[in-house]
Amino acid sequence: MTKVLTIGSATMDVFVECDDANIVSVCSKNKDSEFMSYPYGAKIDITTFSSKVGGGGVNTACNFANLGFETSAIFKIGEDIYSEGILESFKDRKVNLSHIIQDKNTSTGFSIILVSFQGDRTVLAHRGANAEIKQEEINFDAIKNADLMYVAPLNGESNKVIESIVDYAHKHGTKICFNAGSTSLKRGFEHIKTILKSAHIVVMNKDEATMATDIQVRPDTKTEKFSQELIHVDIKKMLTTLKVMDYQVIVITDGGNGAYAYDGKKFYFCPVFPSPVVSTLGAGDAFASTFCGALERTRLNVGRSLMYASVNSASVVSQFGATEGHITFEQIEEKLNQNPDYTYLEG
């Protein structure tokens, strides 16, 4: 059985939905933006409220375990009521937590997720312990003993450990899936490039890819014919820019527009798998980790793996909570069999 180690954040997420929230669209020449707004100075009733565990390290560990991989996790928490909730959530999950870091002198990560009536969300995040991982706290033997290391976004001071753990994993033959966070991306492409050189799979959303490459997807730029669909020339340029080694697969997700991939030989496009949207929190983690696992299950079939990832991501967005909707490979395949017209394009 493939051994997977995830490294990332762990948070207690509080979901808040309010029917009085408005979506405000702002357009400029090169960019369209949307903002969630509330009446200023008002006292507003909450429509729904719930608490769930989350964070990239937690979400991906839960998903890999649910997909059947032998999974362990490295994340940092405090010793408080929120850490108790996170540890309790793993009680019935097959995830090895012997490598996690717990520090009584720091607080556990905490997020307030403002959910819109469209199902999308704005996150107010307190990083806490997630931003305080030190190199000496990491169990490097766990990295060496893993077959795949999934690196979820690490922010603050924790970001400084990424280069050393990725370099160590690469030298010891551990495959790497890298999902960059904003802290890494703000340090510039040359910094990211040193990490990309060791990563076998790189997954970013479109905004992250823009930040990494400084390439804007311009609304007035022509698209190129891509089989029966259209791939934007700027996204194509992002994919080729991010691919710095021959052995890499690069994936860019674009929310409701689907996902793109490039393996050096072909470009791939996979539309979103149809599903009701309750909350998009955790969708990216589910997509990226499922894609990594599916590459092994499908024997490196990139297009098919994009489909697996889209199905699992669609299941997650249909429920509240970043880990609530995870399904198994068998359930994914059953959904695909029930939707024979759903497919990917390559060219």
Side-chain angles (χ1 to χ4, degrees), residues 285-337:
D285 292 328
F287 188 99
S289 51
T290 303
F291 179 80
C292 293
L295 277 180
E296 176 178 309
R297 187 173 180 88
T298 63
R299 299 182 180 180
L300 303 181
N301 186 323
V302 175
R304 185 76 175 171
S305 296
L306 287 173
M307 292 171 63
Y308 276 55
S310 184
V311 171
N312 207 359
S313 180
S315 180
V316 168
V317 302
S318 68
Q319 298 187 41
F320 263 119
T323 64
E324 300 300 308
H326 290 155
I327 54 178
T328 65
F329 277 131
E330 291 74 20
Q331 290 170 317
I332 291 172
E333 289 162 356
E334 182 179 353
K335 286 181 178 289
L336 289 174
N337 289 335

Side-chain angles (χ1 to χ4, degrees), residues 230-292:
L230 297 173
I231 180 171
H232 200 288
V233 293
D234 292 332
I235 292 179
K236 197 171 185 179
K237 188 177 180 181
M238 285 178 180
L239 290 165
T240 55
T241 300
L242 290 169
K243 185 173 172 59
V244 297
M245 301 299 288
D246 291 340
Y247 52 76
Q248 291 174 317
V249 177
I250 309 297
V251 177
I252 295 177
T253 60
D254 191 13
N257 295 319
Y260 300 89
Y262 179 56
D263 62 3
K265 298 177 181 178
K266 296 180 180 179
F267 291 93
Y268 303 83
F269 168 71
C270 184
V272 170
F273 189 77
S275 170
V277 177
V278 175
S279 170
T280 59
L281 193 73
D285 292 328
F287 188 99
S289 51
T290 303
F291 179 80
C292 293

Side-chain angles (χ1 to χ4, degrees), residues 18-86:
C18 174
D19 289 342
D20 290 331
N22 300 301
I23 307 299
V24 180
S25 298
V26 178
C27 301
S28 61
K29 182 178 179 180
N30 294 321
K31 188 177 182 181
D32 296 339
S33 302
E34 291 188 328
F35 299 86
M36 188 182 299
S37 70
Y38 296 87
Y40 182 70
K43 185 175 182 179
I44 305 169
D45 288 334
I46 293 173
T47 307
T48 59
F49 172 92
S50 64
S51 299
K52 307 285 184 182
V53 297
V58 168
N59 297 343
T60 54
C62 290
N63 189 40
F64 277 120
N66 194 64
L67 291 172
F69 294 97
E70 184 177 333
T71 307
S72 56
I74 294 177
F75 53 76
K76 187 171 182 177
I77 56 178
E79 293 185 8
D80 48 32
I81 188 172
Y82 304 122
S83 66
E84 292 174 6
I86 290 171

Side-chain angles (χ1 to χ4, degrees), residues 7-301:
I7 299 179
S9 60
T11 67
M12 181 60 72
D13 293 332
V14 175
F15 293 80
V16 176
E17 185 172 6
C18 174
D19 289 342
D20 290 331
N22 300 301
I23 307 299
V24 180
S25 298
V26 178
C27 301
S28 61
K29 182 178 179 180
N30 294 321
K31 188 177 182 181
D32 296 339
S33 302
E34 291 188 328
F35 299 86
M36 188 182 299
S37 70
Y38 296 87
Y40 182 70
K43 185 175 182 179
I44 305 169
D45 288 334
I46 293 173
T47 307
T48 59
F49 172 92
S50 64
S51 299
K52 307 285 184 182
V53 297
V58 168
N59 297 343
T60 54
C62 290
N63 189 40
F64 277 120
N66 194 64
L67 291 172
F69 294 97
E70 184 177 333
T71 307
S72 56
I74 294 177
F75 53 76
K76 187 171 182 177
I77 56 178
E79 293 185 8
D80 48 32
I81 188 172
Y82 304 122
S83 66
E84 292 174 6
I86 290 171
L87 294 176
E88 178 66 22
S89 72
F90 279 98
K91 185 177 180 180
D92 298 321
R93 301 183 188 270
K94 296 180 180 179
V95 178
N96 179 0
L97 298 182
S98 62
H99 311 309
I100 70 167
I101 307 154
Q102 195 162 12
D103 184 353
K104 65 180 180 180
N105 296 316
T106 190
S107 58
T108 301
F110 180 84
S111 295
I112 298 174
I113 295 94
L114 304 175
V115 184
S116 80
F117 60 88
Q118 295 175 330
D120 216 334
R121 77 285 185 274
T122 295
V123 181
L124 307 178
H126 168 62
R127 305 295 182 187
N130 294 316
E132 300 175 13
I133 298 175
K134 302 177 180 65
Q135 185 168 317
E136 60 268 23
E137 296 175 320
I138 295 173
N139 185 332
F140 278 83
D141 284 340
I143 297 174
K144 181 173 64 176
N145 294 330
D147 299 308
L148 171 69
M149 178 177 72
Y150 182 100
V151 183
L154 290 170
N155 296 286
E157 292 298 305
S158 301
N159 183 258
K160 296 178 181 179
V161 308
I162 293 179
E163 286 185 66
S164 59
I165 63 176
V166 167
D167 183 62
Y168 185 87
H170 187 68
K171 288 179 178 178
H172 288 83
T174 301
K175 289 186 176 181
I176 301 158
C177 180
F178 177 55
N179 182 204
S182 59
T183 302
S184 291
L185 298 175
K186 288 176 182 176
R187 296 174 69 178
F189 185 71
E190 289 305 312
H191 166 70
I192 285 291
K193 193 173 180 179
T194 61
I195 300 172
L196 295 180
K197 287 180 178 179
S198 298
H200 296 77
I201 305 164
V202 179
V203 184
M204 297 184 187
N205 63 38
K206 188 178 71 174
D207 290 339
E208 291 165 343
T210 295
M211 194 182 301
T213 63
D214 202 29
I215 298 170
Q216 291 282 348
V217 179
R218 296 159 294 175
D220 59 344
T221 302
K222 292 182 180 180
T223 54
E224 295 182 3
K225 193 67 179 174
F226 179 71
S227 297
Q228 300 170 16
E229 290 291 331
L230 297 173
I231 180 171
H232 200 288
V233 293
D234 292 332
I235 292 179
K236 197 171 185 179
K237 188 177 180 181
M238 285 178 180
L239 290 165
T240 55
T241 300
L242 290 169
K243 185 173 172 59
V244 297
M245 301 299 288
D246 291 340
Y247 52 76
Q248 291 174 317
V249 177
I250 309 297
V251 177
I252 295 177
T253 60
D254 191 13
N257 295 319
Y260 300 89
Y262 179 56
D263 62 3
K265 298 177 181 178
K266 296 180 180 179
F267 291 93
Y268 303 83
F269 168 71
C270 184
V272 170
F273 189 77
S275 170
V277 177
V278 175
S279 170
T280 59
L281 193 73
D285 292 328
F287 188 99
S289 51
T290 303
F291 179 80
C292 293
L295 277 180
E296 176 178 309
R297 187 173 180 88
T298 63
R299 299 182 180 180
L300 303 181
N301 186 323

